[in-house]
Amino acid sequence: MQDRPQAQSLKTFDEFVAFLDERPDEERWELIDGVMELNATPTDLHQLIVTNILVQLALAVRASGAPWMVLPGLGIHLPGDKSRAPTPDVLVRPGTISRSGYCDDPIVIVEVLSPSTE
């Protein structure tokens, strides 16, 4: 894990969301303990693993009839948490459409680790 610069001021979730409004859509940022972090572009191997997980979870949801959605790239922001908005590779959430880029009710969270995220 890389050292975080001490000079960077810690951001709240609201400041983070305002910052994202000014950034290009293709950038993938997370807020971790008040620090905004730009994620590296994933490799093809990483994305293949993510795809395999997505497909298997989606098939399990469909076969069981569970009222859940399996989604990639959706951020997590829990109520009351002002300093974190991570974006896991895959998450499972209740099957209600919120039209938000953030989930506040995850059931399962999957992060595919690589040397840069160990």
Side-chain angles (χ1 to χ4, degrees):
M1 186 94 148
Q2 64 180 342
D3 291 329
R4 294 183 179 146
Q6 295 298 320
Q8 182 179 3
S9 64
L10 300 181
K11 304 296 182 194
T12 65
F13 177 74
D14 292 335
E15 291 170 323
F16 175 65
V17 170
F19 168 79
L20 291 181
D21 286 342
E22 304 298 321
R23 304 303 309 160
D25 288 341
E26 61 272 11
E27 289 184 0
R28 187 172 166 205
W29 289 85
E30 294 181 293
L31 182 66
I32 306 297
D33 297 328
V35 177
M36 296 185 300
E37 296 188 10
L38 178 61
N39 290 334
T41 301
T43 65
D44 55 355
L45 178 58
H46 180 275
Q47 292 304 84
L48 181 60
I49 295 167
V50 169
T51 299
N52 287 336
I53 292 167
L54 276 166
V55 169
Q56 291 303 311
L57 285 173
L59 289 172
V61 167
R62 179 176 285 177
S64 70
W68 306 328
M69 294 186 294
V70 180
L71 302 167
L74 193 64
I76 297 174
H77 182 248
L78 301 177
D81 189 347
K82 298 193 181 304
S83 68
R84 295 183 54 82
T87 304
D89 291 307
V90 179
L91 65 81
V92 178
R93 69 174 307 251
T96 54
I97 302 292
S98 69
R99 300 194 188 278
S100 170
Y102 294 94
C103 170
D104 64 0
D105 54 359
I107 298 168
V108 175
I109 299 167
V110 178
E111 181 67 29
V112 177
L113 297 180
S114 64
S116 65
T117 59
E118 284 185 277

